Amino acid sequence: MDSETEAIVIYMESVQHARRFISAARAASRTKPIVVLKVGRSDAGSKAVASHTGAMAGSDDVYQAVFDRSGLLRVNGMSELFYAAASLTSVKPLDKSGLAILTNGGGMGVLATDALVQSGGVLAQLSDVSKQKLDKVLPKTWSGANPIDIIGDAGPDRYAAALGVLQEDENIGAILVLNCPTAVSSSIDIAKVVADIAATGKKCVLTSWVGSATAEASRSLFAERGIPSYATPESAVNSFMYLVHYRQNQKILMETPPALTEDLEFDVKTAQSIVDKAVAQKREWLNEMEAKQVLAAYGIPTVTTRLAKTAKEAVSFAKELGYPVAVKICSPDILHKSDVQGVALNLASEAAVKQAVLDIQNTVQHHRPDAQIEGFFVQNMANYKDAHEVILGVLNDPTFGPVLMFGQGGTAVEVYNDKVLALPPLNLKLAKDMVARTKIYHLLKGYRDREAVDMDALLLTLIKLSQLVVDFDRLVELDVNPLLVNSQGVVALDARIRISIKSEVKTNRLAIHPYPHDLEEKITLASGKTYELRPVRPEDEPALIENFNQLTKEEIRFRFFNAIKTMSHPMAARFSQIDYDREMALVITDPRTQKNWKLYAVVRLISEAFEPRAEFSLIVNHVVGRQGLGTLLLKRIIHYAESRGLKEVYGSVLAENKVMLDLCKRAGFTMQSQHNEPGVVTVKLLLNREASNS
């Protein structure tokens, strides 16, 4: 919150308090850049794990997922740490990701372009208007495209003319100006005109003056004028990519997720009974059929599976399910069935099923004579035309708790190593971002004669899995591999779940506080209309902006102390995408059955970082005024504050806001005028033990 601090740089070895760190990082990264250098990337000391997910996801991958979710920019070395911080605080923010390279040496332009492409960046495409303007001010031998090579004899005037044109091109996000020393032009004179234009222009400008003694004066000038300057084109490009990655991180952090098109319902009771049974039997691993039953309870489609004790039973189940079928070994000692040839596919007859059971039994006894064989799973062969195999997973990180994984699946999943990790809970935006960062995503979108997959079904499956993680403290590891996905939907072919059988399990293990469903309730006002009282959600942003637009000027001034005309996207995102651990906002909305719901009132509580106290604010739209909503919301937020162990709730109220002051007085708040802010009253309420003693 320090107004004098422009950026935060972190040298990190480890994090001890995951939720506190992520909560603070997410709050800070909305207001200023945070650059982190995380050391200790090796996972050589990590313990062996049994699931594909655990084998593929090292601790450094988890830290990267944390940085992605928190809006932090990660760098790989100490010099990069300060280069990135300097770049982010000294240049204009990017509005686009394309880079224009302006140079008096073709070779330097090529070097910069190569570095840009290798870093995943893109050259800006010059507009036709810009090309026409450049044709008029540059020699006929200029490059005619980006990089813009203005020829070795370019002086200050030519640099100024070209840079002026590029500043007006809407396709360009930033401009990298390069200069190599020549005998016909003064580098310092060129630096002066570049600095003047950079100071007044709209675009972010970075510079690289190559050389030693000849470039020293120019670099000093750029430093005095607050313009980033680098010794080599490659260093300049690296800093530009920090700007690009930071812009992407901020966009993800502030993007409003779409609302779910359907209310998801889960059979928690059934899933809980399966887990409880395994705990009672002291079994860490659910068998495949139990794991699929848990998935089915959360609406994730699975292949129908039966457990046969004998070959005769296997035949009976095969007839019931219909040929062709698959037969798999069921053993608590064997997690990867294909490793012991414990799977037989496309069995089309009674004889084939009998032979498969015999063969599996023999091969398993050969490879794992110590393994206990409990039977054989019989299931339908999934007829999913043009399906892709993906993997969904959950691992339990010792620092950050449960982590979700998505990637390319199948038996060679570790070989592909195409995966992305993310922290739960997920929404549609986060799920889409997770899938889009894998290589298989490009195949899932469709290619040649293969249709695009049902992306909505895949994203909903990730959200359902996320909710399963939120609901079950005992969940330790989970694999769904493969999950088949095509244009018709998804189906889980195989699944394994590991649980904790300890008498006590760690609660509040999630690094990010999930949406608190327990605070939801229905209320009926004096008008007879029913509303929902619930915590704010990220997808409430459009409704929040609409409600603001309906407020009177007086309502806005009473709440914000200023005559704010509009609620911008960043402002609305800040109010709707809250961290439920350090902040709570309860809203009054239409029932969720209403597609385009409206929002009518908000009470907000923001906890202080180091003291057991919190500041509250409250606003009720006049549309639903005079029905007791202010009193109701104030009572609810006070009760919530008490449940969190806070000792004091306070707020600032304009002295002329008689309605709010009267509301606070009835709730037991004390009043005190602020001497340093005339016209403002501080209201305070002591809670818990202190409140009862007062």
Side-chain angles (χ1 to χ4, degrees):
M1 300 301 294
D2 181 23
S3 60
E4 298 300 315
T5 299
E6 297 180 21
I8 300 168
V9 295
I10 300 173
Y11 168 84
M12 177 185 291
E13 293 179 0
S14 63
V15 167
Q16 300 301 318
H17 303 284
R19 184 176 285 190
R20 287 178 60 188
F21 172 77
I22 293 176
S23 179
R26 293 174 74 196
S29 62
R30 292 179 181 274
T31 60
K32 59 195 66 179
I34 304 177
V35 186
V36 58
L37 171 60
K38 169 66 174 72
V39 297
R41 287 173 173 265
S42 172
D43 294 313
S46 63
K47 64 178 182 179
V49 288
S51 66
H52 291 297
T53 302
M56 294 170 65
S59 62
D60 191 68
D61 297 315
V62 177
Y63 270 95
Q64 186 61 55
V66 170
F67 301 150
D68 291 340
R69 185 68 173 267
S70 304
L72 276 57
L73 178 64
R74 184 178 191 175
V75 296
N76 296 318
M78 187 63 76
S79 61
E80 294 181 30
L81 186 70
F82 294 104
Y83 265 138
S87 298
L88 290 168
T89 55
S90 61
V91 300
K92 299 178 177 68
L94 296 184
D95 58 354
K96 290 182 176 62
S97 298
L99 178 68
I101 300 173
L102 177 63
T103 179
N104 68 338
M108 288 214 320
V110 174
L111 282 173
T113 301
D114 286 348
L116 180 69
V117 173
Q118 289 169 8
S119 301
V122 293
L123 282 172
Q125 294 294 321
L126 298 180
S127 68
D128 291 338
V129 173
S130 293
K131 291 179 181 179
Q132 292 169 5
K133 290 181 178 179
L134 290 172
D135 282 337
K136 294 178 181 178
V137 298
L138 297 180
K140 291 182 179 181
T141 53
W142 81 281
S143 60
N146 188 15
I148 302 98
D149 181 359
I150 58 177
I151 314 305
D153 62 348
D157 292 343
R158 195 180 299 172
Y159 265 95
L163 187 55
V165 172
L166 299 180
Q167 284 280 1
E168 299 301 320
D169 193 326
E170 295 299 325
N171 293 340
I172 296 172
I175 305 166
L176 171 57
V177 183
L178 306 177
N179 178 264
C180 52
T182 66
V184 295
S185 298
S186 167
S187 293
I188 186 64
D189 289 342
I190 295 171
K192 289 176 181 177
V193 300
V194 169
D196 289 340
I197 296 174
T200 58
K202 298 183 293 183
K203 305 292 183 185
C204 159
V205 174
L206 306 120
T207 64
S208 177
W209 257 232
V210 176
S212 180
T214 56
E216 200 169 306
S218 298
R219 291 175 191 154
S220 297
L221 172 69
F222 289 135
E224 291 172 6
R225 302 287 291 273
I227 298 169
S229 182
Y230 306 91
T232 66
E234 293 90 341
S235 297
V237 167
N238 287 341
S239 287
F240 168 72
M241 291 307 299
Y242 297 144
L243 301 177
V244 172
H245 292 148
Y246 178 71
R247 175 177 178 267
Q248 292 171 343
N249 289 350
Q250 288 299 299
K251 183 179 179 182
I252 292 172
L253 192 68
M254 303 293 282
E255 190 176 353
T256 305
L260 292 173
T261 56
E262 58 181 277
D263 282 335
L264 302 180
E265 296 183 0
F266 308 111
D267 187 357
V268 181
K269 187 176 179 180
T270 294
Q272 187 67 60
S273 65
I274 296 169
V275 172
D276 289 345
K277 178 183 175 183
V279 171
Q281 296 175 353
K282 299 190 181 303
R283 287 189 292 117
E284 282 194 331
W285 289 94
L286 306 184
N287 66 42
E288 181 181 337
M289 193 158 71
E290 290 172 328
K292 287 180 178 177
Q293 288 170 343
V294 170
L295 296 180
Y298 273 74
I300 299 174
T302 64
V303 175
T304 304
T305 303
R306 300 284 188 267
L307 176 57
K309 299 293 186 182
T310 64
K312 184 177 180 181
E313 264 194 320
V315 170
S316 176
F317 286 138
K319 289 179 179 178
E320 174 194 334
L321 297 174
Y323 294 107
V325 297
V327 173
K328 304 177 182 179
I329 188 68
C330 174
S331 170
D333 303 312
I334 298 173
L335 294 173
H336 302 300
K337 305 176 184 68
S338 57
D339 289 350
V340 295
Q341 300 178 34
V343 179
L345 305 176
N346 287 308
L347 306 175
S349 66
E350 177 179 332
V353 171
K354 286 181 179 179
Q355 188 61 46
V357 170
L358 181 62
D359 291 344
I360 290 174
Q361 195 167 20
N362 290 336
T363 54
V364 169
Q365 287 176 348
H366 173 71
H367 289 286
R368 288 288 306 275
D370 59 317
Q372 177 188 354
I373 299 177
E374 294 183 344
F376 306 88
F377 293 120
V378 183
Q379 63 185 50
N380 288 115
M381 286 298 300
N383 184 20
Y384 258 49
K385 183 181 178 183
D386 291 335
H388 297 272
E389 292 185 337
V390 300
I391 181 173
L392 308 183
V394 177
L395 66 102
N396 197 54
D397 183 78
T399 300
F400 296 101
V403 182
L404 302 170
M405 187 185 81
F406 171 82
Q408 187 166 356
T411 56
V413 62
E414 285 96 347
V415 177
Y416 297 134
N417 197 31
D418 175 26
K419 89 304 184 164
V420 167
L421 304 186
L423 299 179
L426 295 182
N427 55 37
L428 279 174
K429 175 182 71 68
L430 294 170
K432 177 64 179 294
D433 177 65
M434 194 177 179
V435 174
R437 285 187 288 137
T438 59
K439 295 174 184 175
I440 196 175
Y441 173 66
H442 302 287
L443 302 180
L444 300 179
K445 292 190 296 182
Y447 63 97
R448 293 182 182 175
D449 60 341
R450 293 189 69 168
E451 291 185 80
V453 305
D454 185 344
M455 190 60 68
D456 289 341
L458 178 58
L459 300 184
L460 281 175
T461 302
L462 279 167
I463 290 174
K464 293 170 182 176
L465 181 62
S466 170
Q467 190 59 46
L468 174 63
V469 173
V470 170
D471 289 345
F472 284 89
D473 292 337
R474 291 189 178 276
L475 184 58
V476 176
E477 282 183 71
L478 179 147
D479 268 353
V480 179
N481 182 38
L483 179 82
L484 296 186
V485 52
N486 68 2
S487 60
Q488 304 302 310
V490 303
V491 63
L493 291 194
D494 202 354
R496 56 177 62 91
I497 294 177
R498 182 186 171 202
I499 60 172
S500 172
I501 58 175
K502 296 179 181 178
S503 57
E504 292 186 7
V505 293
K506 182 180 179 182
T507 56
N508 296 328
R509 73 209 192 289
L510 296 170
I512 297 176
H513 197 299
Y515 174 82
H517 288 278
D518 58 308
L519 297 179
E520 295 181 338
E521 61 177 300
K522 283 186 170 58
I523 59 170
T524 302
L525 300 186
S527 63
K529 189 171 181 180
T530 298
Y531 296 90
E532 278 193 3
L533 190 160
R534 59 168 174 79
V536 72
R537 296 191 296 246
E539 54 266 34
D540 283 324
E541 182 184 330
L544 195 68
I545 293 175
E546 182 182 357
N547 176 62
F548 179 89
N549 293 336
Q550 292 180 346
L551 296 174
T552 65
K553 292 182 179 179
E554 184 179 68
E555 287 172 334
I556 293 173
R557 189 168 59 85
F558 281 172
R559 166 60 180 87
F560 298 102
F561 289 25
N562 288 301
I564 301 174
K565 294 183 178 180
T566 60
M567 179 174 282
S568 64
H569 163 63
M571 184 180 182
R574 169 67 189 86
F575 286 147
S576 57
Q577 299 182 33
I578 68 171
D579 183 326
Y580 298 113
D581 193 55
R582 64 169 48 205
E583 184 175 356
M584 180 52 64
L586 299 176
V587 298
I588 299 293
T589 71
D590 292 317
R592 69 177 62 199
T593 52
Q594 193 164 318
K595 186 176 181 181
N596 298 315
W597 67 90
K598 293 184 178 181
L599 188 150
Y600 303 97
V602 185
V603 63
R604 194 174 298 274
L605 191 74
I606 303 177
S607 301
E608 292 190 3
F610 303 107
E611 297 291 338
R613 59 199 301 263
E615 183 177 12
F616 87 97
S617 61
L618 172 65
I619 187 166
V620 178
N621 194 311
H622 61 275
V623 174
V624 291
R626 300 182 181 278
Q627 298 188 72
L629 273 181
T631 300
L632 175 65
L633 286 173
L634 191 55
K635 285 182 178 179
R636 291 294 188 275
I637 208 67
I638 290 172
H639 177 72
Y640 172 79
E642 290 174 332
S643 72
R644 294 299 301 264
L646 296 176
K647 302 300 182 183
E648 180 184 304
V649 171
Y650 67 94
S652 298
V653 183
L654 288 178
E656 58 188 295
N657 190 352
K658 304 300 183 183
V659 174
M660 179 60 72
L661 290 174
D662 184 56
L663 183 66
C664 292
K665 185 177 181 180
R666 294 199 307 269
F669 284 78
T670 60
M671 316 279 175
Q672 183 177 357
S673 297
Q674 294 186 14
H675 299 296
N676 58 338
E677 287 189 80
V680 178
V681 177
T682 297
V683 297
K684 293 182 180 180
L685 179 67
L686 299 179
L687 305 176
N688 299 323
R689 179 178 58 81
E690 295 178 30
S692 63
N693 292 339
S694 61

